[in-house]
Amino acid sequence: MFPRIREITDAFGARLRVSVEEHPSGALVVLERPDLGAQPRILLDGYGVDVLSGYIMSARLSVPHPLPDEHVDGMFTTRFELGLEPAATLLLAQSENAVLDIPAPFWDRLYAELCLVAAHARELGRRAEARVH
């Protein structure tokens, strides 16, 4: 079943790759933009996936108005930010070098994909926990 990789594309060739990878804690969700030269890569645990899912919905409801940033701590500390100019974009930052932009046309499909990968990640976490005990 794993690794699980899906790509979301738009009409202009932009791509967002969403994958689930096994991790000692269960699973990680990996977001990448293979169409960009720097190929940014963001790693999220279950906490980060849940916050990103909620932030996507909040952003959809707030555009064209601003939205406060969100932060998740832990092993995969991430800042979520809504950019409005020149077009609505979610910015995910884990460091100065790991910044991923997700344009608004990807949001709905990413939200649906996150619902699916969150279930897979929870199952991998459950299996990892069962192996420990």
Side-chain angles (χ1 to χ4, degrees):
M1 171 179 7
F2 296 96
R4 181 187 187 281
I5 302 169
R6 299 292 186 270
E7 282 200 359
I8 301 169
T9 59
D10 72 6
F12 304 105
R15 296 184 312 170
L16 174 64
R17 182 177 297 144
V18 182
S19 58
V20 178
E21 296 180 359
E22 291 188 81
H23 184 266
S25 66
L28 296 178
V29 173
V30 182
L31 302 173
E32 299 171 285
R33 288 290 309 271
D35 58 315
L36 300 178
Q39 295 189 355
R41 178 178 166 97
I42 299 291
L43 303 172
L44 299 173
D45 57 10
Y47 172 41
V49 169
D50 287 345
V51 172
L52 177 55
S53 295
Y55 200 75
I56 289 169
M57 190 56 62
S58 293
R60 289 194 77 240
L61 295 170
S62 87
V63 169
H65 304 288
L67 182 66
D69 295 355
E70 286 288 338
H71 299 266
V72 296
D73 293 328
M75 186 184 284
F76 304 100
T77 299
T78 309
R79 177 178 47 86
F80 303 92
E81 178 183 341
L82 173 61
L84 295 172
E85 295 297 329
T89 302
L90 295 180
L91 300 168
L92 284 61
Q94 289 186 322
S95 70
E96 288 183 25
N97 298 326
V99 178
L100 181 86
D101 70 303
I102 304 172
F106 287 130
W107 295 356
D108 289 347
R109 290 185 57 204
L110 176 58
Y111 180 84
E113 193 62 31
L114 289 174
C115 290
L116 294 169
V117 298
H120 289 301
R122 279 192 302 274
E123 177 59 13
L124 284 175
R126 187 192 65 74
R127 290 179 189 179
E129 192 174 290
R131 283 192 305 266
V132 172
H133 297 292

